Amino acid sequence: MATSTTYGARDHARAQEGARAEAMPVVPASDWPAPPHEAAHLVWAETVAGGNYTHRVLARGTEFRLTDPRGDACAHLLLHHADRPWERLNVADTVKVQWNAYLGEGVLLLSDQGRVLASVIADTSGRHDALCGTSTLVRNTERYGDGTPQSPSPAGRELFKLAAAKNGLEPRDLPPSLSFFQGVAVREDGTLDFTGSAGPGAAVTLRAEQDVTVLIANVPHPADPRPEYVSTPLEVLAWRAEPTRPGDPLWDATPEGRRAFLNTAEFLAARGTA
Amino acid sequence: MKTTGTTASADTVTAVTAVIPARAAWSAVIRAGETLTLTDLHGNQAADFLVYDAHDTAVRYSAPDTVHAQGGIFLTTGSVLMSNEHTPLMTVTADDVGRHDTVGGACSKESNTLRYGHHTWSQHACVDNFLAEGAKHGLGKRDLVSNINWYMNVPVEKDGTLGIVDGISAPGLALTLRAERDVLVLISNCPQINNPCNGFDPTAVQVTITGAGT
């Protein structure tokens, strides 16, 4: 197709509509080929390439499922309150308040304000990490030769900076993150064992308990011992659902969690958004 | 807060000592090569600690980078306190205690309502100390991240159960940190009275900044 004129260039660009790539957002999400729920309920359907990032604002009560189809995804995750980004995921409070260093079904992702940002409602992986954070430009340059976002081995923190910027946030707004699908275990002496992936097909489903900005970087775990940069696609699907309410088993699963849900409910009621 | 005078030895090493009373906050810029010694005067006192690049506070302590860099969750002699850009901020050069926590973060009025109940809301908490002391240096809430808890004992069981338990520090035990660059240090001498990190009774700690002698 001749692109030497504006008409030709326009035709060339428009002819790309409908092209498919392995990693891409499907818009509308209801076109996703195998929806886990009624297709009409889907609000986000995307395959995130290895070494790439994504971000979305999700309404309270939206469920989102992260899937590792090939077994070498690692979803580094940050959550900020959508309207008040200075309220954000606090990993230390998340592990300390719930008396557990490991992530899994039933874990609440807590903000620094004593409230729930999201809950983990299903998990078939069991290989996650709340201790090591994500990778950095310095480390990826040492290990893989480069860590810049457009390189073959982007660092998670560099991708988080871009995802944050697209939501009006700065590097100061990036606290320690969580990572899903690549695990770490603590030995008795405090040293860490990298336990790696549970294999292809593992999935984690989370539920937004407030309106949240979700930032995801899909990059190798910083403790991944392999010399090469291995990062396979991550699938993200989200659909409209209901937030956790009183009476839900999760609401009363622990006294700490119940108070976190109560704090959240009070906050939302005072805002007029309960 | 009580700050004692400057002393000079023959090789021009200077030292500035301050006592941080129970529940109080403290901050200082430590120049590259200087050391900061923290002494648990009465034993079993947790000292919550944040450190920033003094010239670019967007570069600040990263608990996960530190944990990842050393391959373990406990801090002791040899531990390098890493920034969020994976660069060294300070190094632990001496430690009488053996291990310190960097997983549990700071207590806050908000997290206390989850951990113990809403009756704790009116009590003192480290995050308030960090906010008040940090504000003197232009730092705000966005600048607070997971911190270090010197002297605090937080083991992790095989099944992942984690919690603050009785301390292993004792009166007079100290640790020393060397600044690897000019750093801003914030300390909240933890006011927590609901868990064993202070033996339920906050007490004073002492800080001493020693010059590089150059």
Side-chain angles (χ1 to χ4, degrees):
Chain A
M1 194 176 295
T3 52
S4 55
T5 67
T6 50
Y7 306 108
R10 184 177 61 191
D11 290 345
H12 175 266
R14 285 180 171 176
Q16 294 189 45
E17 182 172 358
R20 291 274 169 176
E22 181 189 43
M24 62 181 284
V26 171
V27 181
S30 56
D31 284 352
W32 183 263
H37 286 259
E38 280 184 58
H41 291 179
L42 282 186
V43 295
W44 184 13
E46 178 168 358
T47 302
V48 184
N52 221 303
Y53 70 95
T54 189
H55 58 100
R56 194 63 64 102
V57 176
L58 296 181
R60 176 173 180 254
T62 305
E63 294 180 3
F64 57 112
R65 189 181 76 183
L66 311 175
T67 304
D68 177 11
R70 285 197 230 155
D72 276 314
C74 186
H76 299 259
L77 180 85
L78 279 174
L79 298 170
H80 295 74
H81 191 289
D83 307 329
R84 315 169 68 252
W86 53 91
E87 178 174 359
R88 61 195 189 191
L89 176 68
N90 186 313
V91 171
D93 280 357
T94 294
V95 300
K96 173 177 60 183
V97 167
Q98 297 178 93
W99 301 89
N100 202 304
Y102 299 150
L103 303 170
E105 189 172 318
V107 167
L108 311 181
L109 307 189
L110 300 175
S111 81
D112 49 67
Q113 292 299 292
R115 298 192 276 257
V116 192
L117 290 173
S119 48
V120 181
I121 57 173
D123 173 29
T124 68
S125 167
R127 308 283 185 95
H128 313 300
D129 175 32
L131 300 171
C132 289
T134 193
S135 54
T136 52
L137 179 62
V138 165
R139 276 293 281 153
N140 278 28
T141 303
E142 286 170 7
R143 297 190 62 196
Y144 310 116
D146 203 344
T148 54
Q150 313 271 18
S151 76
S153 47
R157 180 168 169 79
E158 297 305 297
L159 299 180
F160 271 143
K161 286 177 186 171
L162 297 179
K166 291 182 178 179
N167 290 277
L169 304 175
E170 299 171 10
R172 289 169 68 205
D173 298 299
L174 297 172
S177 56
L178 300 172
S179 54
F180 292 93
F181 301 127
Q182 302 286 335
V184 166
V186 185
R187 294 196 205 112
E188 199 178 344
D189 65 358
T191 56
L192 299 177
D193 274 327
F194 180 67
T195 54
S197 165
V204 178
T205 306
L206 301 101
R207 178 156 61 211
E209 304 289 359
Q210 300 194 58
D211 295 348
V212 289
T213 302
V214 180
L215 309 182
I216 296 173
N218 179 26
V219 298
H221 189 280
D224 189 327
R226 292 174 288 188
E228 65 274 24
Y229 186 96
V230 181
S231 182
T232 55
L234 171 77
E235 195 179 284
V236 184
L237 296 178
W239 55 88
R240 288 298 305 153
E242 291 295 319
T244 304
R245 297 191 188 282
D248 187 301
L250 190 57
W251 186 282
D252 289 312
T254 66
E256 296 83 12
R258 186 183 67 248
R259 290 194 287 268
F261 278 120
L262 281 170
N263 284 353
T264 310
E266 287 262 288
F267 172 74
L268 293 167
R271 282 183 59 137
T273 55
Chain B
M1 171 181 335
K2 193 172 64 184
T3 301
T4 59
T6 301
T7 60
S9 67
D11 54 358
T12 74
V13 171
T14 58
V16 177
T17 296
V19 172
I20 311 175
R23 294 178 296 279
W26 178 87
S27 61
V29 172
I30 317 290
R31 301 290 169 195
E34 292 179 342
T35 60
L36 175 68
T37 297
L38 193 58
T39 306
D40 186 2
L41 292 176
H42 305 283
N44 208 18
Q45 171 64 21
D48 288 43
F49 184 97
L50 279 170
V51 53
Y52 303 78
D53 183 315
H55 306 291
D56 179 6
T57 55
V59 176
R60 72 277 304 266
Y61 180 66
S62 168
D65 281 272
T66 303
V67 165
H68 164 230
Q70 66 175 17
I73 59 171
F74 300 134
L75 305 180
T76 187
T77 307
S79 295
V80 180
L81 312 186
M82 303 296 283
S83 79
N84 51 3
E85 298 292 355
H86 219 83
T87 50
L89 294 168
M90 301 185 93
T91 301
V92 183
T93 56
D95 174 27
D96 294 334
V97 179
R99 70 186 201 192
H100 307 264
D101 168 69
T102 191
V103 172
C107 62
S108 67
K109 294 163 82 78
E110 293 78 13
S111 68
N112 283 347
T113 71
L114 305 187
R115 297 166 74 198
Y116 313 109
H118 288 94
H119 65 287
T120 59
W121 171 258
S122 300
Q123 297 174 359
H124 304 283
C126 282
V127 165
D128 285 19
N129 270 343
F130 279 145
L131 288 172
E133 195 68 26
K136 298 176 182 173
H137 305 276
L139 301 175
K141 190 172 173 311
R142 296 160 69 199
D143 301 300
L144 299 193
V145 288
S146 299
N147 55 285
I148 295 168
N149 299 297
W150 299 118
Y151 307 116
M152 200 164 89
N153 188 12
V154 184
V156 176
E157 311 291 346
K158 233 184 180 69
D159 63 358
T161 301
L162 154 164
I164 301 161
V165 299
D166 289 342
I168 54 175
S169 180
L173 297 192
L175 64 101
T176 300
L177 301 156
R178 181 182 65 229
E180 303 298 347
R181 61 177 77 187
D182 295 351
V183 292
L184 168 65
V185 165
L186 299 186
I187 294 177
S188 167
N189 191 23
C190 185
Q192 187 56 250
I193 56 172
N194 300 287
N195 72 42
C197 74
N198 302 334
F200 309 95
D201 177 26
T203 53
V205 298
Q206 178 181 283
V207 285
T208 301
I209 303 169
T210 304
T214 55

